[in-house]
Amino acid sequence: MAPKCQDFAKHLKGSLATNYESIDPCVDFDKYSCDGWKATHDYRPDQSRVSVTSVLSDNIRDVLHAILDGPYAENTTFTGSDRESDVKNFQKMKTVYDTCMKEDAIKSYGVAPLRKILDQFEAIYPVNGTTKNNATQKEELTDAVSWLKKVGSVSALFSSSTGADDMNPDTVFISLGASETEMEKKYYTMPIPLRNYTRAIAEMTHVIQSAKPIDEYPIPANENASLYEKAKRIVDFEQLIASKTPDPEQSADVKYSYNVKTLREIEASVPELSIIKVLQDIAPPGYTVDAQRTVNVADRNFYGNLSTIIKSTSRQTLHDYFEWRLISTWDGALHKNYSAPMRRFNNRLVGRDPDAVAERWRTCISEVDGTLGHILGGVFIQRMFSKKDKELGDQVIQDVKNVFAENLKTLDWMSDSAKEIAAKKVVNIISKVGFQTKNPDEQKPQELSDYYANLSITTNYFDNARARFEFNQNKTWADLLKPTDRDRWEMTSPTVNAYYNPPINEIVFPAGIMQIPFFNGELPEYANYGGFGSTAGHELTHGFDDNGSKYDDTGRYREWWDNSTTVRFENETQCFIKQYDQFTIEGLEGEKVHVNGKLSLGENIADAGGLNAAFRAWKKRDIAKLNPSLPGLEKFTNDQLFFVSYANSWCEKIRKEALLRQVLGDPHAPSDTRTNGPVANSPDFRKAFNCPVKQPTCILW
Ligand SMILES: [Zn+2]
């Protein structure tokens, strides 16, 4: 037996509860499959959760760490045909990494670069409200918001970005949304996080003013009251913004978030600020922004609200809020001693030790990933993703697509005409596997070098952070000048994740997730289909969840279902909502908090459909020699091992506070629920484990 297979057997067996034989898998399959894993894994102080996924991420980071710590290795990319560019790319990446690692140099500039940004902003929007050159209040506010966006990397009062127009997927347009807030909306009604946040603002403000770390120079008694008073005003203002911000389940719903308006209409609803002028300042030359220009308003109520917010807020508060947004955006580029108040706040929010700091190299690998992700990706795939991996990945995905399409024919709640388009939609789904191969191709050093040519990297950490922001911002807004880039990936290849993108109708699987224990050519097929296959099915089913199903076979957002199909689909979604509303977690004071069935609906539909499709796809393949039983697991049938592999991919230990945060704002249900929910919705699972109830609780796909 292949060594990888033996390791996998050990991993799977060790993950099972030691007393699994006395646990009913039909009641708590997560406990059954994961209690052993939970007993043998613990968080690092800087982690709020540890999971099979996070362990894989760590393994990948270890590989990247070794590469970045070492000298240039020959043949860094696949082809090795362009050594000169390859060396250059590696050096650029290494400079980002080394500069990030030199904490003494970062410490030596103190808070000076952030102070400089704040001084520049003060000249644009002075606190005392004296208008220069007879500028009106409106002109000054407009200049401030524009500068914050363009130079400060801050979305203040409203957010703006670019993306495919859901009704015309090849067209890129501007999308406007509510202002970003530091915390998830619900936290603005909770006393403890609000208190911690207020403290962080007061202390960070003091650090910036005094230019000394808070631990060396705590707030003097005579300044305490005024700093806290200022912090309280900022928090109150954010609280007001949060109260006018859509709930996360609204934002995720295209019916709520797709509203095409002309800028004239928007301008009329916010007379206190010229949104046209702000957008003109950001948009690239050659892209006309005028009153006729149509944009998307991702929050249909926000702009009326925005006017009320501005009118009811003093200039002093707006100024202080803007200043704070700059501090909270750039504090991460300061030495850890200076950013301590913010780090403590963030740690407390997710239940970590307040003073926990990730090892520097981990932070710096994230930094390289965020700055030169395609170069890092090229190096990663060269070591950890083979042609064979790609072929097997393609096969699993194709199998899952095939059974999904076949299953459509059997659905009694869908009309024939809807089935026909749905089948076309499955055929049309583009799957991207491994890494980006165009603009740039991660295997081609010259393309990579050209792609990042305008990103100038120095040996100053703060300057690199600013350069990265500017580079990404320019790319985002330059998109307006071209049709939608269908070759682009929204994740880098070392990422352990996957996604579905509705207007492009694509499913995307970075090489990071196509690794042991989810996927490997040497593993039994039930493991590959239970692990990676169910992820493939999950992403595919997103095309048919409560949101994805509103996009047709070409990725266009339009009504393509008849009435009776829609009604029956919505009836069944109620089943999912009720089912997941029943799951609870423990709140901060020991109270029960329910999972939000509405917020997590799309993910739960995708989990159920993905698991069903993966199982059926595997059954079609089930060739004895590719599905050997594993040492120590001979008691299980292969059908059972398929589901054990699935559950194993969700094994996780999470801190109470982090779990609460997930339930409040994340569409993904807690990981134990992501095992217990989908298996209850799987007739195949209930058969495999001979459960008393054979019918699934809820089923759509
Ligand atoms: Zn998902």
Side-chain angles (χ1 to χ4, degrees), residues 348-507:
R348 286 189 176 106
L349 199 60
V350 290
R352 291 185 296 243
D353 180 319
D355 285 308
V357 186
E359 290 154 284
R360 188 65 187 170
W361 66 268
R362 294 185 192 278
T363 306
C364 294
I365 286 171
S366 299
E367 197 80 17
V368 176
D369 188 71
T371 310
L372 298 166
H374 290 305
I375 297 180
L376 187 68
V379 170
F380 167 69
I381 53 177
Q382 204 264 344
R383 282 160 182 79
M384 287 186 78
F385 192 70
S386 66
K387 240 188 177 151
K388 263 193 159 157
D389 290 333
K390 167 114 174 71
E391 282 163 15
L392 179 59
D394 285 339
Q395 175 206 301
V396 174
I397 294 164
Q398 192 54 50
D399 286 353
V400 169
K401 275 168 95 168
N402 290 347
V403 296
F404 193 93
E406 269 167 42
N407 183 58
L408 284 175
K409 295 178 197 152
T410 69
L411 302 176
D412 63 0
W413 56 269
M414 244 188 157
S415 68
D416 287 346
S417 58
K419 280 180 187 172
E420 205 175 299
I421 302 179
K424 264 196 217 153
K425 181 167 176 171
V426 177
V427 171
N428 288 351
I429 285 180
I430 298 162
S431 56
K432 294 179 176 169
V433 176
F435 56 94
Q436 191 168 316
T437 52
K438 242 180 165 181
N439 304 322
D441 182 339
E442 289 185 357
Q443 295 183 52
K444 297 199 174 126
Q446 182 65 52
E447 274 189 36
L448 290 167
S449 156
D450 291 348
Y451 182 83
Y452 290 112
N454 292 330
L455 174 55
S456 53
I457 293 303
T458 68
T459 52
N460 180 299
Y461 184 62
F462 202 96
D463 288 349
N464 286 350
R466 293 198 75 176
R468 166 170 112 176
F469 155 68
E470 208 175 295
F471 178 78
N472 289 336
Q473 166 150 292
N474 287 342
K475 280 240 178 285
T476 302
W477 291 88
D479 284 350
L480 291 169
L481 300 171
K482 296 164 293 185
T484 298
D485 178 0
R486 289 174 173 270
D487 300 313
R488 178 176 306 165
W489 287 46
E490 285 166 17
M491 285 175 187
T492 63
S493 49
T495 309
V496 186
N497 208 340
Y499 66 92
Y500 172 73
N501 182 9
I504 312 287
N505 195 27
E506 62 177 0
I507 46 181

Side-chain angles (χ1 to χ4, degrees), residues 602-614:
E603 294 301 334
N604 300 334
I605 294 173
D607 277 346
L611 184 60
N612 285 340

Side-chain angles (χ1 to χ4, degrees), residues 69-330:
D69 252 359
Y72 173 75
E74 289 301 330
N75 264 352
T76 298
T77 59
F78 268 101
T79 56
S81 60
D82 182 4
R83 190 176 183 279
E84 201 184 318
S85 302
D86 204 34
V87 173
K88 212 172 91 188
N89 292 339
F90 184 81
Q91 291 311 342
K92 194 166 187 170
M93 191 165 66
K94 186 110 172 111
T95 306
V96 171
Y97 179 75
D98 290 346
T99 304
C100 173
M101 287 298 289
K102 286 190 182 123
E103 289 190 272
D104 282 348
I106 297 170
K107 195 174 176 186
S108 71
Y109 62 62
V111 299
L114 178 47
R115 280 274 282 272
K116 201 170 138 195
I117 294 179
L118 294 170
D119 289 345
Q120 285 170 342
F121 179 66
E122 195 61 33
I124 305 275
Y125 198 68
V127 64
N128 57 18
T130 50
T131 50
K132 325 141 277 188
N133 310 325
N134 300 322
T136 62
Q137 286 282 341
K138 178 177 177 168
E139 285 163 348
E140 286 206 339
L141 185 62
T142 301
D143 284 351
V145 170
S146 164
W147 188 92
L148 285 166
K149 176 83 186 169
K150 219 178 149 156
V151 186
S153 182
V154 165
S155 283
L157 299 180
F158 72 95
S159 64
S160 52
S161 192
T162 65
D165 176 349
D166 296 85
M167 280 196 176
N168 303 287
D170 274 313
T171 308
V172 179
F173 72 165
I174 298 173
S175 190
L176 304 175
S179 181
E180 290 153 9
T181 49
E182 191 70 37
M183 299 186 285
E184 279 88 350
K185 181 175 178 172
K186 291 224 172 75
Y187 282 116
Y188 287 90
T189 61
M190 295 162 64
I192 295 170
L194 282 173
R195 202 162 53 232
N196 290 337
Y197 186 38
T198 309
R199 178 177 170 186
I201 298 175
E203 291 186 348
M204 272 313 294
T205 307
H206 174 64
V207 167
I208 304 298
Q209 280 171 3
S210 68
K212 290 194 186 93
I214 193 85
D215 301 324
E216 284 172 27
Y217 185 60
I219 302 177
N222 63 337
E223 289 172 32
N224 206 50
S226 73
L227 277 169
Y228 271 85
E229 188 270 326
K230 181 177 179 176
K232 176 84 174 46
R233 263 192 299 114
I234 293 168
V235 172
D236 287 349
F237 181 62
E238 278 193 33
Q239 209 169 17
L240 172 67
I241 292 179
S243 71
K244 310 278 187 200
T245 302
D247 291 324
E249 54 265 42
Q250 290 176 309
S251 304
D253 180 0
V254 64
K255 268 192 354 271
Y256 181 90
S257 63
Y258 186 83
N259 310 282
V260 176
K261 294 255 187 304
T262 63
L263 284 172
R264 175 177 292 114
E265 290 170 272
I266 294 167
E267 200 82 352
S269 63
V270 196
E272 297 77 17
L273 174 71
S274 174
I275 289 176
I276 292 185
K277 173 73 171 51
V278 173
L279 296 177
Q280 280 170 343
D281 288 349
I282 316 166
Y287 187 81
T288 314
V289 177
D290 57 20
Q292 287 89 49
R293 174 68 70 184
T294 53
V295 301
N296 182 44
V297 180
D299 170 18
R300 61 171 66 158
N301 299 319
F302 187 71
Y303 289 88
N305 287 335
L306 179 56
S307 172
T308 316
I309 289 172
I310 298 172
K311 268 192 294 203
S312 64
T313 306
S314 69
R315 179 173 177 125
Q316 170 91 49
T317 299
L318 285 176
H319 170 275
D320 294 351
Y321 165 71
F322 293 154
E323 199 182 70
W324 168 244
R325 293 288 294 155
L326 284 168
I327 294 171
S328 74
T329 299
W330 294 102

Side-chain angles (χ1 to χ4, degrees), residues 497-500 535 538-539 542 545 602-604 606-607 650 667-668 674:
N497 208 340
Y499 66 92
Y500 172 73
T535 301
H538 172 98
E539 302 309 339
H542 268 315
D545 69 15
E603 294 301 334
N604 300 334
D607 277 346
W650 292 116
H668 301 90
R674 295 190 74 178

Side-chain angles (χ1 to χ4, degrees), residues 43 48-49 187 348-352 585-591 593 653-664:
Y43 339 95
S48 57
R49 65 180 72 206
Y187 282 116
R348 286 189 176 106
L349 199 60
V350 290
R352 291 185 296 243
I585 61 156
E586 193 193 325
L588 297 182
E589 335 253 314
E591 78 283 18
V593 177
K653 250 173 101 170
I654 182 165
R655 296 181 200 263
K656 195 167 80 174
E657 293 82 353
L659 183 58
L660 177 66
R661 184 188 204 180
Q662 182 173 341
V663 165
L664 293 183

